[in-house]
């Protein structure tokens, strides 16, 4: 067995899995609050990638240091997508909150198509490239190559995940989220504004997806208007695989999907990497429909 190749794929899998985990968290948080599969979530990921390249290119043209450009663009892109998600929730989901789940699902699919076509009309059909001076550089440990961008992606993912856990389990907003997820009627009786909490949940999930969009744009060097579809579906698969509604499950599921995709591409065939990820998902759902972490029904559900 080629251990150098194995460890190289392991590093690549952790990098990709972290990205999927960030996107999956948005799915699982929204589902935990209002039991809605937000299929427009992948478009927040794409919008974050586009906003990142626009802001980085502009700030770089003003003479700012590349890392300052990245930091400012990351914060502003996350804020932009958070506001976009809140607007989508108000327009497409809030009016249907008392309607059937099918109506909300169709609204989510329609909003996904609307946002994707909006990106196409405003940004064009061609890829937009990220500046290369930010993504260059790395080092080698034996025959294993580690890029600075991979380290940045893993580190930022870890920071965002820690920040999310602190928000959910250490703040009043987090307690309100958990209370709303458990029982909306009782939470309203104790003074929690469920509409505000739902909007904040959408905003937090979209902000994480925007960060993932910038990471992917930096890692692969470009973004395009369809980039949210496939990663969005895989992140949804990761959320279901880990146990939809469970934050830890979304993290575990994202890492598994990323690992499976990378190792399947390296050891079997890059043409079928997506197939193996969904085979794992189908197998888990067949034998354990609630996902790896199980259905979360206590106060860790969000």
């Amino acid at each position: 067995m080629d251990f150098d190749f194995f460890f190289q794929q392991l590093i690549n899998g952790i990098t990709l899995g972290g990205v999927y985990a960030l996107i999956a968290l948005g799915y699982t948080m929204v589902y935990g609050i209002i039991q809605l599969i937000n299929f427009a979530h992948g478009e927040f990921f794409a919008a974050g990638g586009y906003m990142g390249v626009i802001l980085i290119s502009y700030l770089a043209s003003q003479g700012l240091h590349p890392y300052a450009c990245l930091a400012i663009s990351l914060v502003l892109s996350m804020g932009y997508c958070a506001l976009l998600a809140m607007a989508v929730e108000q327009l497409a989901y809030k009016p249907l909150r008392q309607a059937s789940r099918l109506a909300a699902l169709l609204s989510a699919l329609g909003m996904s198509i609307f946002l994707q076509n909006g990106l196409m009309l405003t940004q064009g059909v061609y890829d937009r490239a990220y500046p290369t001076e930010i993504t260059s550089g790395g080092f080698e440990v034996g025959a294993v190559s580690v890029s600075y961008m991979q380290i940045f992606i893993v580190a930022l993912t870890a920071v965002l995940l820690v920040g999310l856990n602190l928000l959910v389990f250490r703040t009043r907003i987090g307690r309100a989220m958990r209370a709303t997820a458990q029982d909306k009627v009782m939470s309203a009786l104790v003074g929690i504004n469920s509409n505000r909490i739902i909007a904040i949940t959408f905003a937090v999930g979209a902000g994480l997806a925007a960060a993932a969009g910038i990471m992917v744009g930096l890692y692969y060097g470009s973004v395009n208007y369809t980039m949210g579809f496939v990663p969005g579906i895989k992140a949804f698969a990761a959320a279901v695989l880990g146990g939809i509604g469970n934050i830890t499950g979304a993290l575990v599921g994202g890492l598994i999907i990323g690992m499976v995709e990378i190792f399947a591409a390296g050891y079997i065939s890059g043409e079928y990497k997506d197939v193996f990820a969904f085979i794992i998902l189908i197998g888990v759902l067949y034998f354990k429909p609630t996902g790896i972490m199980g259905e979360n029904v206590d106060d860790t559900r969000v």
Side-chain angles (χ1 to χ4, degrees):
M1 181 176 180
D2 188 345
F3 285 101
D4 289 333
F5 183 72
F6 173 83
F7 284 114
Q8 184 68 69
Q9 295 301 91
L10 181 65
I11 292 170
N12 296 338
I14 292 173
T15 304
L16 185 62
V19 171
Y20 288 154
L22 285 180
I23 308 173
L25 285 167
Y27 281 111
T28 207
M29 290 178 69
V30 169
Y31 184 85
I33 293 287
I34 58 174
Q35 287 72 58
L36 168 70
I37 303 300
N38 180 21
F39 282 113
H41 188 65
E43 311 317 319
F44 302 143
F45 163 80
Y50 266 106
M51 184 57 64
V53 72
I54 292 170
L55 291 172
I56 289 174
S57 300
Y58 171 75
L59 294 172
S61 69
Q62 303 302 308
L64 271 70
H65 190 278
Y67 294 117
C69 296
L70 177 57
I72 295 171
S73 300
L74 184 66
V75 173
L76 293 179
S77 297
M78 292 177 69
Y80 166 77
C81 287
L83 293 175
L84 178 62
M86 293 173 72
V88 167
E89 191 273 330
Q90 289 290 315
L91 293 173
Y93 302 141
K94 185 177 179 180
L96 300 176
R97 202 164 290 163
Q98 304 303 320
S100 66
R101 290 192 179 186
L102 179 60
L105 178 64
L106 291 175
S107 179
L109 291 171
M111 185 54 65
S112 175
I113 296 171
F114 174 80
L115 292 174
Q116 185 179 116
N117 281 272
L119 283 175
M120 180 189 68
L121 293 173
T122 57
Q123 303 301 322
V125 298
Y126 299 106
D127 292 3
R128 293 197 60 170
Y130 268 76
T132 57
E133 57 267 19
I134 297 179
T135 60
S136 60
F139 60 91
E140 294 186 356
V141 180
V144 179
S145 298
V146 181
S147 70
Y148 294 137
M149 185 48 55
Q150 287 177 314
I151 295 174
F152 169 75
I153 290 174
V154 172
L156 181 59
T157 299
V159 169
L160 291 174
L161 290 174
V162 170
L164 176 64
N165 273 278
L166 291 175
L167 172 68
V168 171
F169 299 113
R170 294 289 186 271
T171 67
R172 293 184 63 185
I173 291 177
R175 288 194 294 271
M177 286 180 176
R178 287 180 278 139
T180 304
Q182 285 186 337
D183 193 319
K184 294 182 182 61
V185 176
M186 288 302 297
S187 62
L189 290 176
V190 297
I192 295 175
N193 187 335
S194 61
N195 290 329
R196 176 171 170 265
I197 294 302
I198 291 170
I200 291 174
T201 303
F202 270 85
V204 172
L208 295 175
I214 293 179
M215 293 180 195
V216 168
L218 290 168
Y219 192 55
Y220 292 106
S222 64
V223 292
N224 63 74
Y225 75 97
T226 62
M227 66 178 283
F229 179 73
V230 174
I233 294 297
K234 289 180 181 178
F236 170 64
V240 175
L241 176 60
I244 189 113
N246 187 303
I247 288 180
T248 306
L251 172 60
V252 172
L255 290 173
I256 291 175
I257 293 293
M259 291 288 187
V260 169
E261 179 176 332
I262 291 298
F263 278 103
Y267 286 101
I268 302 176
S269 172
E271 296 180 359
Y272 301 107
K273 65 182 190 312
D274 298 339
V275 174
F276 289 100
F278 288 106
I279 288 175
I280 297 294
L281 171 66
I282 293 170
V284 170
L285 291 181
Y286 182 81
F287 293 104
K288 189 175 174 57
T290 55
I292 293 174
M293 304 298 290
E295 186 176 4
N296 201 337
V297 295
D298 60 14
D299 65 353
T300 61
R301 179 177 177 225
V302 174

